[in-house]
Amino acid sequence: MYKVRKDEPKYAFIPDVEHPERNRYGKPVQLVDENDPLAGKSLNINGDSGIGDNPNRYKQHGFYFNADNCIACHACEAACAEKNNTPPHLAFRSVGYLEGGSYPAVQRLNISMACNHCDNPVCLKGCPTRAYTKFAEYGAVLQDPDICFGCGYCTWVCPYNAPQLDTEAGHVSKCNMCIDRLEVGLKPACAAACLGGALDFGIIETTPEGRSQLETRIPGFPDPSITHPNIRFQQMRSLPREMRRVDSVPLRYVRDDQNARPDPGVKSGHHTGYRPAPLPVSESDTGWNLKALRSREDPLVLFTLITQGVVGAFLMLFLGPLFGLEMLSPAAHPVAYPVTLFGLIALQTFGLVISTLHLGRPHRFYRAFNNLRYSPVSREVAAVALFYNLLGAHALFSVLPQVTELVPAGVAGGLATASGWLAVIAGPLALWFMHRIYRIPARPYWNHWQVLSSFYGSMLVLGPLFAGLVFVPVAAAAGEPSGTLLRGLALPMLAGILLTAFGAWRHVLHLRAIGGEGEAALGVLRTRFRRVDLLRWGLTGAAAVALAAVALSGQGGIGTALLWALGGVLVLAAELLGRALFYVLVIPTTLPGAFFWRNPGFQAHAREAGLAEMPQVGVQVAHH
């Protein structure tokens, strides 16, 4: 157990006060009673099997932050770092700020934030390995780094940037509410270290000494309805109508007098209606910025496109003969058909390998199946694995009669047909689960059905391209008429282009309507990546013209084949650019950083200039 000092000051202890039965979200503050099976269990802190004697052990606790009192001394950060021995580039608690007004009436709002141990912990639901647990003890949401395999999905879904991915260690870690201190009645280290009385801790929905407000919103804080966080704010000081971040994220927070939402449980009429809005668009940075297209998610760029292409190619091979493309059937080309299937298996294997190597701990990939009940990552992995195995089974049974007589041809054919139809169902289903990964309220740029239209559009575009890379040369070498084949390949590719373009158009309208981080990401696309975006759609348009010409001509021959190949190359390049933009444009609903600390712009500069090599700079070196 944590050892309490003899001279521990009174303010370091958690007060034992009365509390309401339920919090403002309708959840009971008393999480379990003494007769519950979860009660009376040891947390085994540091191997100690003892049980804490805190009388409020099974009540939901939370943080209280008074923004008027915070002086940004960073004592809470320092205490947290010392308590948890975090490396310089990580911080379970961090202090950022907003600025507003004009000289000489400039005002600053400081915000100290860590994990909020939410009632609806999206990190817990999103984690595929089940590394997260919400405990009955204090309502703490704890994470086990030994279970984590470093996918980083929890860092995507958390609106507060609480989980910290350490690519050097290969896993995520986060605030543990100083559960060892709570067991002996002490506040977390950060709250006990606060110099200005800004940060406090206690049973949720109880008003700390010297406070009068219990708000769930503050300028710069994400929408609390996403997770129902256990943090309450006080901010009485009048602020300017507009507050701006000092980091490089192009966001500001504007007071919304007309649409201000009431905060349940607020004890005063203080206005809390600040909404995020994009900064005015600047045309100063409109270069190519091709290096900025690279990100840690580069393996996912390839994995998603490969998987969508393989699913589309298999659908083309299996269903094509049913729609008049007899040249794609195994009867027409008994060698090219299985060769294409095994080529698709090899390509999908490569995609799965690079996706696995994207993990911080690739050797623990099998843990991805641990949370099928809640995690979209687990469901996607299971669905892709199912499709992959069905594809392999179909390929195996398709070729067996040609290599051995141990299995009767009728049995092998029946198994090939059955596995093929199951794969036809499993493939698109896998892409559905893949798109669900990105429907994240904490990342508004992704949280739109355009993700699904983009993924299915890529399936329609890349699938015929992958299949045609084998069958078009085979048809040419055999001297077979290829007009029907080329037209059959071009039409779904055109449909995929139209589907992607329609989704992108609706996506832009949606981002403009919701504002905030989504519209800010659109502004980055229109400025920093403007040329890349124009190139992407220019390539897409040229590919559409080429493929339309192929579809309308209905003629075979080398010229039409080359025109189809040109359209395929152009649209493949456009798909790569579009998917890279998909990952680098997203702006999460994270809290504001500072000029250096938690500033994406400074982090990029530090890595480029070599400053990140110095640990004291506090920037993690970009490597895997």
Side-chain angles (χ1 to χ4, degrees):
M1 284 293 174
Y2 191 85
K3 304 301 180 184
V4 181
R5 298 178 300 179
K6 294 181 180 179
D7 58 345
E8 196 75 56
K10 181 181 178 180
Y11 64 77
F13 290 90
I14 305 172
D16 185 6
V17 296
E18 295 293 327
H19 61 83
E21 289 187 6
R22 294 183 177 273
N23 67 11
R24 67 192 60 206
Y25 304 117
K27 294 292 183 70
V29 174
Q30 180 81 38
L31 300 175
V32 298
D33 57 35
E34 296 179 355
N35 299 321
D36 193 281
L38 292 175
K41 304 293 184 181
S42 172
L43 291 172
N44 294 309
I45 298 170
N46 299 323
D48 191 328
S49 59
I51 300 175
D53 57 2
N54 190 323
N56 298 311
R57 194 170 191 247
Y58 301 106
K59 297 175 182 177
Q60 178 68 61
H61 286 60
F63 291 99
Y64 297 89
F65 180 69
N66 187 342
D68 295 333
N69 288 1
C70 182
I71 59 174
C73 66
H74 299 267
C76 54
E77 277 189 12
C80 178
E82 182 182 26
K83 171 72 167 58
N84 295 288
N85 195 28
T86 53
H89 55 270
L90 295 185
F92 295 164
R93 176 169 291 278
S94 61
V95 178
Y97 60 94
L98 301 172
E99 290 183 342
S102 57
Y103 180 83
V106 176
Q107 294 196 48
R108 172 168 160 169
L109 176 71
N110 301 309
I111 305 176
S112 174
M113 191 57 55
C115 176
N116 295 311
H117 302 275
C118 308
D119 286 350
N120 178 31
V122 291
C123 54
L124 182 152
K125 294 181 178 180
C127 176
T129 66
R130 293 179 67 183
Y132 288 84
T133 305
K134 185 166 179 67
F135 279 79
E137 290 82 1
Y138 312 103
V141 178
L142 304 184
Q143 189 262 2
D144 190 342
D146 292 332
I147 296 176
C148 173
F149 63 7
C151 71
Y153 188 65
C154 57
T155 67
W156 285 7
V157 299
C158 176
Y160 318 111
N161 197 31
Q164 301 289 297
L165 176 61
D166 189 344
T167 57
E168 295 180 9
H171 63 75
V172 168
S173 54
K174 75 169 193 71
C175 161
N176 55 29
M177 205 189 254
C178 287
I179 201 86
D180 52 344
R181 291 174 58 91
L182 270 56
E183 284 284 76
V184 294
L186 292 173
K187 297 176 183 178
C190 55
C194 181
L195 302 178
L199 188 62
D200 210 336
F201 185 84
I203 302 172
I204 202 65
E205 306 297 4
T206 59
T207 307
E209 184 179 356
R211 308 288 178 95
S212 60
Q213 286 186 337
L214 294 177
E215 300 191 15
T216 59
R217 297 184 180 94
I218 196 173
F221 190 73
D223 184 358
S225 67
I226 299 175
T227 66
H228 294 169
N230 284 301
I231 184 171
R232 303 294 180 260
F233 297 104
Q234 176 165 313
Q235 192 270 306
M236 303 285 288
R237 187 178 54 183
S238 178
L239 294 176
R241 181 171 297 277
E242 179 180 300
M243 301 293 290
R244 293 198 176 195
R245 298 171 69 127
V246 295
D247 56 20
S248 61
V249 178
L251 274 178
R252 54 183 174 149
Y253 300 90
V254 182
R255 194 165 64 210
D256 191 357
D257 296 309
Q258 294 182 349
N259 299 314
R261 295 165 293 180
D263 194 344
V266 174
K267 294 187 177 181
S268 76
H270 182 71
H271 185 94
T272 59
Y274 277 79
R275 57 178 175 81
L279 288 176
V281 174
S282 171
E283 301 292 339
S284 59
D285 185 14
T286 56
W288 285 101
N289 294 309
L290 294 176
K291 286 185 178 181
L293 290 175
R294 299 295 306 276
S295 72
R296 181 183 176 273
E297 317 306 339
D298 284 352
L300 297 184
V301 172
L302 297 179
F303 168 70
T304 54
L305 288 176
I306 286 173
T307 302
Q308 291 151 22
V310 169
V311 169
F314 176 73
L315 295 179
M316 198 75 201
L317 291 178
F318 193 80
L319 300 178
L322 301 178
F323 292 91
L325 297 178
E326 295 295 337
M327 294 180 65
L328 298 179
S329 67
H333 291 286
V335 176
Y337 188 84
V339 166
T340 306
L341 287 178
F342 283 106
L344 294 177
I345 292 172
L347 187 59
Q348 186 64 65
T349 301
F350 172 72
L352 290 171
V353 168
I354 60 174
S355 175
T356 301
L357 293 177
H358 175 257
L359 302 174
R361 293 169 172 170
H363 57 290
R364 295 180 178 173
F365 69 93
Y366 56 89
R367 294 180 177 175
F369 299 97
N370 286 359
N371 196 8
L372 290 171
R373 181 177 180 182
Y374 291 116
S375 175
V377 178
S378 292
R379 295 169 184 169
E380 180 225 32
V381 171
V384 171
L386 177 62
F387 167 74
Y388 179 72
N389 284 277
L390 289 171
L391 176 63
H394 178 74
L396 178 64
F397 291 125
S398 296
V399 78
L400 266 182
Q402 302 178 34
V403 297
T404 180
E405 297 180 355
L406 295 178
V407 180
V411 174
L415 292 173
T417 301
S419 57
W421 279 111
L422 289 174
V424 166
I425 299 172
L429 189 62
L431 301 189
W432 166 267
F433 285 121
M434 180 182 288
H435 116 276
R436 290 300 304 171
I437 289 178
Y438 301 94
R439 297 302 300 272
I440 302 172
R443 300 201 167 208
Y445 182 77
W446 286 346
N447 194 25
H448 186 257
W449 58 261
Q450 177 267 343
V451 177
L452 183 62
S453 67
S454 173
F455 285 5
Y456 280 150
S458 297
M459 177 191 74
L460 292 172
V461 166
L462 298 179
L465 178 62
F466 290 174
L469 289 176
V470 175
F471 280 89
V472 170
V474 166
E480 300 175 354
S482 57
T484 302
L485 174 64
L486 290 171
R487 185 178 185 180
L489 295 174
L491 285 174
M493 294 175 74
L494 276 172
I497 290 174
L498 292 175
L499 178 60
T500 301
F502 177 75
W505 171 59
R506 297 298 302 178
H507 188 217
V508 169
L509 298 180
H510 169 74
L511 295 177
R512 289 174 177 169
I514 64 172
E517 291 84 359
E519 190 177 8
L522 182 64
V524 175
L525 177 65
R526 294 288 185 261
T527 54
R528 191 179 188 193
F529 295 107
R530 180 180 179 181
R531 294 185 181 182
V532 174
D533 190 47
L534 290 174
L535 175 62
R536 173 201 176 190
W537 290 110
L539 292 172
T540 302
V545 170
L547 294 171
V550 172
L552 291 174
S553 70
Q555 302 296 319
I558 187 67
T560 307
L562 290 176
L563 187 60
W564 172 83
L566 174 63
V569 170
L570 294 175
V571 78
L572 178 60
E575 287 289 318
L576 285 169
L577 290 175
R579 194 56 50 84
L581 286 170
F582 175 79
Y583 285 103
V584 300
L585 282 173
V586 65
I587 296 177
T589 60
T590 52
L591 289 151
F595 189 78
F596 293 107
W597 184 235
R598 294 289 178 89
N599 184 347
F602 175 72
Q603 290 173 351
H605 168 72
R607 294 185 180 113
E608 184 177 347
L611 293 173
E613 302 291 340
M614 298 186 292
Q616 62 268 33
V617 175
V619 175
Q620 194 167 16
V621 178
H623 69 84
H624 195 281

